[in-house]
Amino acid sequence: MTTKLANSSPQTEQEQLHWSFWLGVAFFVLVIVAILSSGWMLTQRMASEEAVPVTSIVISGEMPYTTEQDIHSAMENIDLGNFFHVDVNEIQQQVAVLPWVYSVSVRKQWPNELKLYVVDQAPIARWNGDFFINAQGHAFQADASRVTHGLPAFFGPEGSEVTALENFRNFSSLLTYKNLGIDELVLSERYSWQLLLSDGVTLNLGREERVQRIQRFMDVYSEIKENKKENQQVDYIDLRYDTGLAVGWKSAVEKQRV
């Protein structure tokens, strides 16, 4: 027996190729539509997220003098209606000009939060009555009523802030051995130094050999107090001599009155 195999006709092959082509085109079109649809949806989602306003402001840091209300007031003119459009540099500049602020950093936390870290000035002393000096020796002006602890008072020519602070630290480190502090430091236009100590005694140091003169004072101060008369207190000690010193006295009644 002879078996004959049926072969596909040329017309059948053409029809198969025709349908394969259009199926490929249809698949390609579907892929393009899917890509465009995904892109459109992503764009809409991003646009929706961008429209989300900042609804949370977190303030932290070291702020013994600046209040959160101060910071919110400094930011009241800033548009927080669009998270992605909020300018952190603008916020930083607005907060940094607050009188008690020393430094501030700002960052955004997706999706709707601002985080501020604020560090206040650290006043070391009052300066010429109306200003303060910070730990870096820079003068600044701020609301003095927010300082509830005592500060020494510095007086000196403009531009001498760093010099005043450096000498204050040097003098203080020596005087602590006698349990004495400095309530007032005066630097004259000619750079002559005068100190008012915590026990009410004034030291005139002059311009030269200031550290050596304080050491001389410390060597003899206990002896000076032991030799005072009854109802008598040391008013000032003048150390502006190559050797020795001069002592001024006042009555204890006068000291109490002052």
Side-chain angles (χ1 to χ4, degrees):
M1 178 185 295
T2 302
T3 303
K4 294 184 179 180
L5 297 176
N7 294 323
S8 300
S9 67
Q11 183 177 359
T12 302
E13 291 180 355
Q14 288 178 359
E15 289 177 353
Q16 290 177 346
L17 289 174
H18 175 79
W19 284 109
S20 297
F21 171 77
W22 285 110
L23 285 174
V25 170
F27 178 76
F28 177 76
V29 171
L30 287 173
V31 170
I32 296 300
V33 170
I35 292 174
L36 292 175
S37 298
S38 299
W40 180 83
M41 293 175 62
L42 181 61
T43 301
Q44 291 297 109
R45 182 178 178 182
M46 291 180 64
S48 176
E49 289 176 350
E50 286 185 0
V52 174
V54 172
T55 57
S56 174
I57 299 176
V58 179
I59 301 171
S60 61
E62 302 169 24
M63 301 182 298
Y65 310 108
T66 300
T67 67
E68 289 194 7
Q69 183 57 50
D70 293 332
I71 295 172
H72 285 294
S73 296
M75 297 171 54
E76 64 183 4
N77 294 326
I78 297 176
D79 184 6
L80 302 178
N82 188 314
F83 176 82
F84 285 96
H85 292 174
V86 172
D87 188 344
V88 295
N89 292 324
E90 182 184 8
I91 296 173
Q92 185 177 37
Q93 292 169 5
Q94 294 286 352
V95 176
V97 299
L98 291 172
W100 275 110
V101 171
Y102 177 70
S103 66
V104 56
S105 61
V106 184
R107 66 185 181 90
K108 293 189 283 189
Q109 181 72 46
W110 190 88
N112 62 345
E113 188 171 79
L114 274 179
K115 291 190 174 182
L116 289 81
Y117 190 87
V118 180
V119 177
D120 273 353
Q121 298 275 9
I124 302 300
R126 297 179 185 272
W127 176 248
N128 288 335
D130 298 324
F131 294 82
F132 294 96
I133 290 182
N134 66 14
Q136 292 72 40
H138 300 149
F140 66 97
Q141 193 168 27
D143 182 7
S145 67
R146 298 193 182 186
V147 181
T148 58
H149 59 284
L151 290 174
F154 294 179
F155 298 90
E158 183 179 355
S160 64
E161 295 89 344
V162 173
T163 300
L165 181 60
E166 288 177 350
N167 280 268
F168 170 78
R169 286 169 170 163
N170 291 335
F171 299 155
S172 295
S173 65
L174 292 173
L175 291 167
T176 52
Y177 290 103
K178 291 291 183 179
N179 295 318
L180 292 170
I182 300 173
D183 285 349
E184 188 176 289
L185 178 150
V186 180
L187 177 58
S188 73
E189 294 289 342
R190 298 186 61 190
Y191 279 70
S192 179
W193 296 82
Q194 184 182 83
L195 307 179
L196 175 63
L197 303 184
S198 54
D199 65 350
V201 175
T202 298
L203 299 185
N204 292 319
L205 300 178
R207 299 175 60 184
E208 307 296 336
E209 300 179 343
R210 299 179 297 276
V211 172
Q212 293 87 336
R213 289 172 179 178
I214 287 183
Q215 290 174 332
R216 188 195 311 165
F217 155 76
M218 293 172 61
D219 290 340
V220 300
Y221 190 43
S222 297
E223 183 179 351
I224 291 173
K225 291 194 294 184
E226 289 173 359
N227 292 326
K228 69 180 179 63
K229 297 179 181 179
E230 187 177 357
N231 295 324
Q232 193 177 50
Q233 299 288 341
V234 178
D235 185 16
Y236 67 86
I237 298 177
D238 194 340
L239 296 147
R240 295 173 294 178
Y241 301 91
D242 293 336
T243 58
L245 49 85
V247 181
W249 301 91
K250 62 184 176 184
S251 68
V253 175
E254 179 183 353
K255 179 181 179 182
Q256 292 173 359
R257 184 172 64 251
V258 173

